[in-house]
Amino acid sequence: MTRQMTGAKMVVQALRDQGVDTVFGYPGGAVLPIYDEMFQQNDIQHILVRHEQAAVHAAEGYARSTGKPGVVLVTSGPGATNAVTGLTDALMDSIPIVVLTGQVPTFMIGTDAFQEADTVGITRPCTKHNWLVKDTAKLSETIHQAFHVALAGRPGPVLVDIPKDVQFASADYQPKQKAPTGHYQPQVKGDMEMITALVEEIETAACPVFYTGGGVINSGPGASQLLRELVEATGFPVTSTLMGLGAYPASGKHWLGMLGMHGLYEANLAMHGCDLMINVGARFDDRITGRLDAFSPKSRKAHIDIDPSSINKVIRVDMPIIGDVGHVLEDVLKVWKARGRRINREGLQKWWARIHDWQKVDCLKFKPNEGTIRPQYALSRLEALTKGRDRYITTEVGQHQMWAAQYLGFEDPNRWMTSGGLGTMGYGFPASIGVQVAHPDALVINVAGEASWLMNMQEMGTAIQFRLPVKQFILNNERLGMVRQWQELLHGQRYSHSWSEALPDFVKLAEAFGAKGILCKDPADLDDAIMEMLNHDGPVIFDCLVEKHENCFPMIPSGEPHNKMLLGEAKTKDAIGSKGAVMV
Amino acid sequence: MSALQIKKGSTKHSAYNLRSTFSDVEETHTIAVLVENEPGVLARVIGLFSGRGYNIDSLTVAEVDHKGHLSRITIVTTGTPQVIEQIKAQLGRIVPVHEVHDLTAEGSSVERELALLKVTGVSDKRVEALRLADIFRAQVVDSTLESFVFQITGTPEKVDAFADLMRPLGLTEIARTGVAALARGL
């Protein structure tokens, strides 16, 4: 039986049918009918953000920490355009997001009406798909299809633009079960012939390495379990991209640490020297590969990815396997076990001996300072004092993000939320809000730099209003640290506009919002200050004054291969050649 | 048999099987894309090409299945083999795209284009234009005492050749449809 209802009511009913419990949003003229319906129900909570960009980042935090799609509701015009950065961020990092935008009534579209923008036009390149719904009869099935598209295959953001007259008009509601999902059904099972070819390589490889990425996390907790099983059973070393941290536990004995531009020495050298590279749900991003023609020259490469366009995009692989990571890993394990669980024990033993030598370099080693806090020290202490707790970490973008990835250990998937592909400063704070909404009792920490944090600091209002005890751990060097580092290495130490001269007093800022502020500048006080932050039941801004000219190492300079990486104490002047200088 | 009337598996070329080496030599490929005819679908395809820096040499689009609301887009594009493979994969992941076929890689195909050419002139030039049109099997679809409009169908190369010949004879305007293409055989 179908039910007649208004478009606005349909929106709420469709969200309910999709199991949505939380919407992040901001009202405005073109979504008032939907907000009126939100007001008259209690199944779905609405988190009022202070800026639409933050609504999308919060939804990303929610999605990445739960595996469920994040939902955003914003108005037309500026509401929609403010969401664009979040949409692009979610597209780059494959985060399932459903954004509902209001639009001017259909009869006013194209007239340059008040708060009109060509939302589907603007968001076409930054969504997986988007729809403008011009008929209320199509609204409910479009929303159901939007959820299907956001989650199916490689996840991503979608947007449904709903004109105001469509919200007011009535039509039959189409329940989720009856809504057509269309022909969009990406392949999840991998090609068995190719999987068998990979297993044959696994049996003979002398220097294998697993290179895992965000695809493992996106595939669900089952995929992480299968990865762990496969790594333990084969004894192969495993490294991960920034997006994949937590899929394999940092305490696992086969863990090499993160790879890439600021990855660990042993991880990058293993990638360079391996003879079999098994890419599991990663995409050979330029932060990972460095110089393409010198990338892992001696290896045979397998690539497991659900998105066919990721295969052979930048790196040619020998064994492309298109499918969902979980499904493919299950088949790999099954075939490998059925064929007798063989590995090249002798080769692997020698390979591990080489890796252990690289590990002895201890590339993350640092000497704590007496007088000032080194950022590495701050994160080491944060790690030590929060270890063993079910801890969710978000970050902003820059040096602090890389240090967090290096010095914090992740034992489980969905505990690490960071803007990897787009590199969006201002992501971490709203993301931490989304995570805390999804996990009200968990410890949620946003590791931030002061410059990134200021980009979405208005969200303190959201944290206070909804009693979200997010901890803002700001490594304050009064600099745009990563920009400053590149200017030092590449632009003759001319620090063009990479410092802030008028930073707020973060303690007073916290107090102005009704939160707690903590200032720490002496390494001797750091542990107590961190404990004070952790023990406070409410949002905290932790202003950690750190060494101002610290550089983030190890580092693969732009335009260089993995084996040319710079270590902390190495000579860094003129490290980047003119060819590398054009790269970012 | 697919909706594009091309047998699946009729070729070794697929997303799985790429050429053994990545060549730097640019190739021209004709790609047929079957899409749901919904608003914005052409913008998605064109946006993909401009956003990722691919070339469009020619593009034609029209609804081919009015009941099923399916449109066929025929794109002629130039790029290295790696770029061509990327284009196909990227097209394939656009949600309203049902099928992508590389007619150039999947065997031989028939490619035709229609063009209208306006040629103005009097006396000898006019006679010569008419004579050449006859050789090329172009039809006169409009005429005044000082002008013709010729209609010609054929491969893009044939249209080019005809246009080149008409230029000294008073070619003033040309309209081309772009390439429509079908695979040969069953």
Side-chain angles (χ1 to χ4, degrees), chain A residues 124 130 183 307 309 312-313, chain B residues 18 44 82 86 93 95:
Chain A
R124 200 172 283 132
N130 61 14
H183 72 281
D307 180 0
S309 76
N312 290 324
K313 184 167 64 178
Chain B
L18 291 181
R44 287 180 209 284
Q82 186 189 14
Q86 260 298 300
R93 70 183 198 144
V95 172

Side-chain angles (χ1 to χ4, degrees), chain A residues 176-190:
Chain A
K176 182 184 170 187
Q177 303 78 13
K178 287 194 183 160
T181 50
H183 72 281
Y184 186 74
Q185 308 289 350
Q187 169 188 346
V188 292
K189 290 282 279 181

Side-chain angles (χ1 to χ4, degrees), chain A residues 124 128-131 145 149 154 183-184 187 191 194 307-314 316 320-322, chain B residues 15-22 36 38-40 43-44 52 82 86 89-90 92-98:
Chain A
R124 200 172 283 132
K128 213 177 146 185
H129 196 59
N130 61 14
W131 295 262
Q145 209 197 341
V149 171
R154 181 175 179 173
H183 72 281
Y184 186 74
Q187 169 188 346
D191 180 64
M194 208 50 97
D307 180 0
S309 76
S310 288
I311 307 278
N312 290 324
K313 184 167 64 178
V314 283
R316 228 197 96 75
I321 300 171
I322 297 169
Chain B
Y16 286 108
N17 288 313
L18 291 181
R19 266 144 280 203
S20 57
T21 52
F22 272 7
E36 247 158 83
E38 58 176 43
R44 287 180 209 284
R52 292 185 184 265
Q82 186 189 14
Q86 260 298 300
Q90 293 289 350
R93 70 183 198 144
I94 296 177
V95 172
V97 167
H98 284 237

